[in-house]
Amino acid sequence: MRFSRLAAIAGTGLLVLGIASCSSTGGKPRESEGGGGGGTVDTPRVTIAMVTHEVPGDSFWDLIRKGAEAAAKKDNIELRYSNDPEAPNQANLVQTAVDSGVAGIAVTLAKPDAMRAAVQNAEKKGIPVVAFNAGQDAWKEMGVKEYFGQDGYIAGQSAGERLRSEGARKAICVIQEQGHVDLEARCAGVKNTFPATENLNVNGKDMPSVESTITAKLQQDPSIDYIVALGAPFALTATQSVKNAGSSAKVGTFDTNAALVDAIKNGDVQWAVDQQPYLQGYLAVDSLWLYLNNGNVIGGGQPVLTGPSFIDKSNIDAIAEYAKGGTR
């Protein structure tokens, strides 16, 4: 299965460059500022729910939501966004959306087993469901119509190859939510191409704890010369842990935000693997509009990949303007 994924992506290679605050209770979205959207279609106005596993304070989700809002504005959609990092609570939010009679649902599947019943309840009521960001291995067998995101394992392999090319000797891969299928897949991919990798589980809901845990690990094992974080806020925290520990370890990461731009420019963070979250949010909403209004299904039964691509000093200037605008 892994081989087939690699074969599927090999023809295209890695993408070089890809094309704010969130509420836990949903409701009418705030006005989008820039970031595309264009004119509004004249199709009937419908309501679509987007339900994610966002941890409050993680700026990654601002990009997801901004893309979703841009598509909703263009497509004359009322977008109801809600989130909860605990899978049973997220499933309850999906069920609430089903009970309210929304026209479609876009959902992340970080813990697919916990989401299965609610997703299938939507499908039984004829409500189309698309998945994005997490659940690349589970969406199809759950009956979900489309998936938008990167393959975490392939992205991890790319990061591991980068470590090897840079001459790293030992790395830690920092997982901020144990059991999250996509995060686990990323670290498994890193270890596949860079075997001298050890997973380090941290509590992503407590950033001071993240900092102290990474610091302690670096002090305990001075041979660690690379930290791979799985989110921009955790990468920025890891740079402080490096200083705390008096370590010379370098930091690379998955995902971006505006603050990470300066960190890459000044060398605190070496690179970021970008899965284009704005694009994920945009495509999730836009695909539901296409299905509802024209019966279109994107991807031919295969995941639509939005990454991985690398952002580093060689191309950060091209990304910086978009990052400051909140779309990269």
Side-chain angles (χ1 to χ4, degrees), residues 53 90 108-112 115 134-135 177 179-182:
H53 62 278
Q90 187 193 3
T108 59
L109 300 173
K111 306 269 179 76
M115 303 297 294
E177 183 181 348
H180 181 306
V181 292
D182 190 63

Side-chain angles (χ1 to χ4, degrees), residues 10-310:
T12 55
L14 292 180
L15 304 174
V16 178
L17 290 174
I19 318 206
S21 59
C22 303
S23 164
S24 62
T25 56
K28 184 178 179 181
R30 65 191 183 285
E31 291 296 320
S32 297
E33 299 170 1
T40 302
V41 301
D42 60 0
T43 50
R45 188 165 179 82
V46 297
T47 299
I48 284 175
M50 175 171 278
V51 185
T52 78
H53 62 278
E54 172 195 347
V55 176
D58 186 347
S59 57
F60 173 85
W61 297 97
D62 296 347
L63 305 178
I64 291 275
R65 189 171 180 183
K66 199 158 190 176
E69 289 174 347
K73 181 178 180 181
K74 176 182 73 70
D75 293 338
N76 193 27
I77 285 169
E78 178 186 346
L79 180 67
R80 293 181 183 171
Y81 181 95
S82 60
N83 60 281
D84 199 294
E86 301 299 329
N89 296 337
Q90 187 193 3
N92 288 338
L93 292 172
V94 172
Q95 187 60 54
T96 297
V98 172
D99 294 341
S100 72
V102 297
I105 298 173
V107 65
T108 59
L109 300 173
K111 306 269 179 76
D113 288 342
M115 303 297 294
R116 191 178 308 275
V119 167
Q120 291 176 344
N121 286 341
E123 293 158 353
K124 288 175 184 176
K125 286 201 170 184
I127 300 172
V129 179
V130 302
F132 66 99
N133 180 259
Q136 196 263 347
D137 284 336
W139 67 279
K140 189 184 293 188
E141 58 91 12
M142 290 174 68
V144 172
K145 295 192 177 301
E146 298 156 287
Y147 178 83
F148 304 97
Q150 72 178 2
D151 184 310
Y153 188 80
I154 290 175
Q157 288 180 311
S158 300
E161 289 166 357
R162 181 96 181 209
L163 294 178
R164 191 171 56 200
S165 71
E166 292 184 13
R169 298 185 304 277
K170 184 173 183 180
I172 54 172
C173 190
V174 181
I175 300 177
Q176 68 264 24
E177 183 181 348
Q178 192 170 5
H180 181 306
V181 292
D182 190 63
L183 300 184
E184 300 281 357
R186 293 182 196 182
C187 285
V190 173
K191 190 173 181 65
N192 175 261
T193 51
F194 189 76
T197 300
E198 178 183 344
N199 289 358
L200 179 67
N201 291 298
V202 298
N203 179 6
K205 301 174 187 175
D206 184 351
M207 293 306 281
S209 172
V210 173
E211 182 180 324
S212 63
T213 301
I214 298 174
T215 299
K217 184 64 177 178
L218 293 174
Q219 291 171 335
Q220 173 195 344
D221 188 352
S223 69
I224 296 167
D225 61 354
Y226 231 112
I227 301 169
V228 179
L230 302 184
F234 305 100
L236 296 170
T237 297
T239 65
Q240 185 58 50
S241 296
V242 169
K243 295 172 184 175
N244 295 344
S247 171
S248 59
K250 295 179 179 179
V251 177
T253 190
F254 288 74
D255 302 333
T256 63
N257 63 16
L260 197 73
V261 170
D262 290 336
I264 290 176
K265 284 185 174 181
N266 65 28
D268 285 344
V269 175
Q270 303 303 304
W271 42 261
V273 181
D274 184 19
Q275 62 176 306
Q276 301 186 101
Y278 177 93
L279 186 59
Q280 292 176 12
Y282 187 96
L283 290 175
V285 171
D286 202 42
S287 68
L288 284 168
W289 177 83
L290 286 166
Y291 180 80
L292 291 168
N293 288 280
N294 203 44
N296 297 121
V297 177
I298 302 172
Q302 299 300 314
V304 178
L305 299 183
T306 62
S309 63
F310 277 100

